[in-house]
């Protein structure tokens, strides 16, 4: 064991440093897409991704070669939260979501991973994930057509917007379907790049923010402010990525040939995700989760040494202090992001449907039918539960309803 730990020590190895920067490049498109779509600061996202990865490595004793960055599952909830309560209050919800991960890690440590499957079966997680993907579908459509997320403002003429969103979406699809090697691992980055290039040709990219931005700047960190509504809204959202974490850890373990469920233990990796998410929320960054894209890059490069991810994290932190990087990222035309969101939100919904299908449960069985139908309709339909100044709706209401129904409704064997 001592020899293994020695091999994982950080050293100024040029090869490891370069490959580490390449790992960041694989995650870069998705990493910066989340803050751009949600209104958060991309420099803060870079910093919190790097800091979160280093924290994860410390908790897991630098045994797992993963990089932590912005989670797609939280895009729709963050957009809704920012619109309703603002960024500081939304951060309090994300901070609580991270602590929920930590709570689950303690449960797994005491009772084993199977207890999570009992409380959050596919009939609960499936419809909640579907709601996450579909509830803000109008936002993607508005942005793809050159409007603001709420459709109130026209930011790019519709004709040009449809060209930009169409090209960004088409290139992302082509890279996903026909890409080989590294291209297949960065379809979103390819779509962003192609849409941005066309935006330059059409003259819809404004470089004035880049020119006025300083080369060196402290990221615009934002501290959270307490909001019970935001906390209860975000907690159900954390269920899906927490459960997906098990699959991510199994995937990287199959690539490296190691059983990370035993060492460092799934409770440690889950705690690492949770504390990294809470750390990000304290600074105004998006939640951090393990990245399947990076797992693919590890399989492609055969670089299993977690030190590579240490260098990726250090690179992300260094880029966070270059002011012009964030300013450049914010010049991406709205329709380009909208085009990718059309696929992204739909893909999240499909993940939810696939969760239900793969479970093999009979969705027409009365109990399952009640849970799924009420969760989806209440979440997407805009139902609201309000007591005084407190209200719960959308994704938060869907998550609470799904968990409550699963715990309350009698199972067939209990009749």
């Amino acid at each position: 064991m001592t020899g293994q730990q020695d091999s994982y020590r950080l050293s100024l190895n040029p090869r490891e440093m370069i490959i580490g920067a390449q790992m960041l490049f694989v995650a870069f498109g998705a990493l910066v897409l989340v803050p751009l779509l949600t209104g958060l600061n991309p420099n803060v996202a870079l910093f919190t991704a790097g800091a979160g990865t280093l924290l994860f490595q410390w908790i897991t004793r630098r045994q797992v070669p993963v990089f932590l960055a912005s989670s797609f599952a939280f895009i729709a909830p963050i957009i809704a939260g920012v619109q309703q309560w603002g960024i500081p209050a939304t951060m309090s919800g994300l901070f609580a979501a991270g602590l929920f991960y930590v709570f689950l890690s303690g449960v797994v440590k005491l009772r084993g991973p199977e207890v999570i499957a009992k409380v959050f079966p596919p009939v609960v997680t499936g419809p909640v994930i579907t709601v996450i993907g579909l509830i803000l579908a109008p936002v993607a459509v508005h942005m793809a057509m050159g409007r603001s997320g709420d459709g109130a403002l026209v930011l790019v003429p519709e004709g040009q917007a449809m060209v930009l969103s169409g090209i960004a979406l088409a290139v992302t699809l082509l890279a996903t379907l026909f890409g080989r090697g590294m291209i297949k691992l960065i379809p979103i980055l390819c779509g962003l790049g192609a849409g941005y290039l066309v935006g330059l040709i059409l003259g819809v990219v404004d470089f004035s923010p880049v020119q006025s931005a300083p080369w060196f700047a402290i990221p615009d960190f934002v501290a959270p402010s307490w909001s019970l509504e935001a906390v209860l809204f975000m907690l159900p959202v954390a269920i899906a990525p927490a459960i997906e974490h098990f699959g991510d850890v199994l995937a990287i373990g199959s690539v490296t040939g190691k059983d990370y469920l035993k060492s460092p233990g799934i409770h440690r990796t889950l705690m690492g995700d949770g504390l990294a998410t809470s750390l990000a929320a304290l600074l105004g960054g998006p939640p951090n989760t393990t990245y399947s894209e990076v797992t693919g890059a590890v399989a492609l490069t055969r670089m299993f040494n977690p030190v590579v991810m240490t260098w990726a994290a250090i690179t992300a932190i260094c880029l966070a202090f270059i002011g012009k990087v964030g300013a450049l990222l914010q010049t991406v035309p709205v329709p380009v992001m909208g085009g990718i969101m059309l696929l992204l939100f739909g893909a999240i919904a499909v993940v939810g449907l696939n969760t239900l299908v793969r479970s093999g449960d009979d969705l027409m069985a009365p109990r399952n039918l009640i849970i799924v139908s009420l969760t989806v309709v209440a979440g997407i339909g805009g139902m609201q539960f309000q007591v005084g100044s407190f209200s719960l709706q959308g994704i938060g209401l869907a998550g609470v309803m799904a968990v409550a129904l699963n715990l309350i409704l009698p199972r067939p064997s209990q009749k």
Side-chain angles (χ1 to χ4, degrees), residues 84-85 135 233 378-379 382-385 391-399:
Q84 190 165 355
W85 303 295
I135 196 168
F233 175 78
M383 181 176 287
Q384 183 176 12
F385 174 79
S391 65
L392 191 64
Q393 60 184 337
I395 299 166
L397 179 61

Side-chain angles (χ1 to χ4, degrees), residues 165-225:
S165 59
I167 289 177
L169 177 59
V171 172
T172 302
L173 295 176
L174 290 173
T176 302
L177 294 172
F178 305 110
R180 295 291 182 269
M182 191 60 66
I183 295 296
K184 192 173 183 63
L185 298 175
I186 53 171
I188 291 176
L189 192 59
C190 291
L192 283 173
Y196 194 86
L197 180 61
V198 176
L200 288 173
I201 296 173
L202 296 179
V204 298
V205 178
D206 179 14
F207 281 113
S208 57
V210 181
Q211 295 172 348
S212 60
W215 278 102
F216 175 82
I218 303 296
D220 188 15
F221 297 120
V222 177
S225 64

Side-chain angles (χ1 to χ4, degrees), residues 108 113 245-246 249 260-262 264-271:
V108 169
H245 175 82
F246 287 75
V249 173
Y260 297 122
L261 297 183
K262 293 183 177 179
I266 191 66
H267 64 287
R268 284 186 177 273
T269 61
L270 192 57
M271 179 181 291

Side-chain angles (χ1 to χ4, degrees), residues 241-380:
I243 293 176
E244 289 174 5
H245 175 82
F246 287 75
D248 292 335
V249 173
L250 288 172
I252 189 65
S254 67
V255 170
T256 61
K258 296 181 179 179
D259 187 358
Y260 297 122
L261 297 183
K262 293 183 177 179
S263 179
I266 191 66
H267 64 287
R268 284 186 177 273
T269 61
L270 192 57
M271 179 181 291
D273 262 23
L275 292 180
T277 290
S278 292
L279 173 64
L282 287 175
L283 299 174
N288 285 317
T289 57
T290 49
Y291 252 35
S292 57
E293 291 94 335
V294 175
T295 299
V298 170
L300 187 66
T301 61
R302 310 300 293 175
M303 286 298 297
F304 302 152
N305 193 335
V307 171
V308 169
M309 301 305 172
T310 304
W311 282 115
I314 293 173
T315 303
I317 292 174
C318 291
L319 287 177
F321 289 90
I322 302 177
K324 290 190 181 296
V325 170
L328 180 63
L329 292 172
Q330 290 174 333
T331 63
V332 177
V334 166
V336 174
M337 295 186 289
I340 294 174
M341 287 172 70
L342 292 174
L343 174 64
L344 188 62
F345 286 176
I348 293 174
V350 171
V351 169
L353 296 175
N354 192 49
T355 300
L356 291 171
V357 171
R358 292 181 60 184
S359 70
D361 295 332
D362 181 6
L363 297 184
M364 296 307 296
R367 185 178 187 276
N368 296 336
L369 178 65
I370 292 171
I371 295 175
V372 175
S373 59
L374 290 180
T375 299
V376 173
V377 173
I380 298 178

